[in-house]
Amino acid sequence: MHVGFIGLGVMGRPMALRLASAGTPLVVWNRTPERARPLRAAGAEVAADAAGVFARTRVVLLMLADEGAVDAVLARGTPGFAARVEGRTVVHMGTTSPAYSRALEADIRAAGGRYVEAPVSGSRVPAEQGQLVALLAGEETAVAAVRPLLAPMCRETFACGPAPGASLMKLSVNLFLITLVTGLAEAFHFAERQGVDRRLFLEVLDAGPMASGVSRMKSPKLRDRDFAVQAAALDVLKNNRLIAEAARTAGLASPLLDVCHSLFEETVARGHGGEDMIAVLRAIEARTAGAP
């Protein structure tokens, strides 16, 4: 059975390539056609448009940037929506608000389709290596059917109950990631500006109990001022906003997240939204430069 995959961006393309390399028969589409060329070379079929993916598959994975992109691909709010989703399982792998996911599930089920939330934890390198962690939510039978399909992309998958349980889990994980990387960048900045050997600082950090997969991935980028994207600062800002909105809706305090929100807003405003999230270092450096 062919599987559809729509959205071949920084994360989507390596994810789809993992599926193709594992022998999954894929039909793919991306708004920018040239991004589909490596998938064609890997044996996937490339559809002319999103409708072509739905016409030839019964399970469609969506790895799209935001809610508007998901709605557009599904033709949600138009007569074409039911034709695309009826009898199909839509697997929403991007990060959107829990409220949006809940409403999307209701619309898909009302139109005769099935819905699975499956946001992933990880960035471009884990996606390339098949080391993502997938968080699944939805009807148990739909989740059980989708779970094996994700194996080539993921080292682990977790069932998170009904939707939007996976979205809430992803936002919880991302809150820790955002504050962790921002803290790492600030510590690096502090050490460097205090005259500490930055390579030695990172070696000490790596040898101690604070070391993690994230620090080991981001530390060399800080050391070399390598801002090539793994997880873009603009996407991190979007995630930060989603978490903040969910926190406010629930009446929760999020003091660390709020500081990070300001720093990533400054990073993006300075023109670094397309760089890796460690570019938050630039906002910290700018605050130092502007300090009295």
Side-chain angles (χ1 to χ4, degrees):
M1 182 183 69
H2 280 77
V3 174
F5 198 109
I6 298 177
L8 304 173
V10 171
M11 291 289 289
R13 184 160 63 173
M15 291 165 66
L17 283 169
R18 292 289 307 184
L19 291 173
S21 298
T24 305
L26 285 182
V27 181
V28 305
W29 180 77
N30 192 74
R31 184 178 58 182
T32 308
E34 54 264 29
R35 295 199 65 83
R37 288 175 187 163
L39 272 299
R40 191 190 299 276
E45 297 180 32
V46 180
D49 52 27
V53 176
F54 286 94
R56 308 209 311 258
T57 61
R58 286 292 175 266
V59 177
V60 180
L61 311 182
L62 306 180
M63 190 61 185
L64 296 165
D66 53 36
E67 298 167 4
V70 174
D71 287 346
V73 159
L74 295 175
R76 192 172 176 212
T78 77
F81 175 71
R84 293 195 184 184
V85 305
E86 184 178 8
R88 293 173 180 82
T89 300
V90 176
V91 185
H92 174 32
M93 303 193 74
T95 304
T96 55
S97 75
Y100 171 83
S101 184
R102 186 184 293 112
L104 179 61
E105 178 186 41
D107 286 353
I108 289 173
R109 292 178 66 176
R114 306 172 85 190
Y115 176 78
V116 175
E117 278 187 331
V120 292
S121 182
S123 57
R124 177 179 56 82
V125 172
E128 292 171 345
Q129 298 171 344
Q131 293 295 303
L132 297 171
V133 175
L135 313 168
L136 286 78
E139 291 181 303
E140 288 186 13
T141 54
V143 168
V146 165
R147 206 168 186 172
L149 292 176
L150 308 185
M153 301 182 289
C154 304
R155 61 182 173 84
E156 287 197 61
T157 59
F158 292 90
C160 301
S167 290
L168 289 167
M169 183 68 77
K170 176 66 185 297
L171 295 184
S172 301
V173 170
N174 278 5
L175 196 162
F176 180 54
L177 172 66
I178 292 167
T179 55
L180 179 68
V181 173
T182 305
L184 175 63
E186 183 174 330
F188 178 84
H189 175 68
F190 176 84
E192 184 179 46
R193 296 304 174 95
Q194 293 285 1
V196 173
D197 183 300
R198 59 185 185 178
R199 291 178 181 270
L200 182 59
F201 164 69
L202 294 174
E203 287 177 11
V204 170
L205 177 66
D206 192 50
M210 287 82 73
S212 68
V214 171
S215 69
R216 290 180 176 128
M217 184 179 299
K218 299 303 184 186
S219 290
K221 295 177 74 62
L222 285 167
R223 181 193 65 214
D224 301 334
R225 295 189 71 84
D226 170 17
F227 299 108
V229 67
Q230 293 174 339
L234 184 60
D235 291 334
V236 173
L237 178 58
K238 182 198 81 170
N239 277 267
N240 201 313
R241 287 173 175 156
L242 290 173
I243 301 165
E245 288 168 6
R248 300 299 167 265
T249 299
L252 303 177
S254 55
L256 291 179
L257 181 77
D258 296 342
V259 171
C260 295
H261 196 167
S262 296
L263 287 166
F264 276 97
E265 280 187 329
E266 292 167 26
T267 303
V268 171
R270 290 177 174 275
H272 306 297
E275 296 178 347
D276 189 71
M277 67 185 297
I278 59 116
V280 71
L281 175 68
R282 297 187 188 274
I284 297 168
E285 289 174 336
R287 288 195 182 190
T288 290

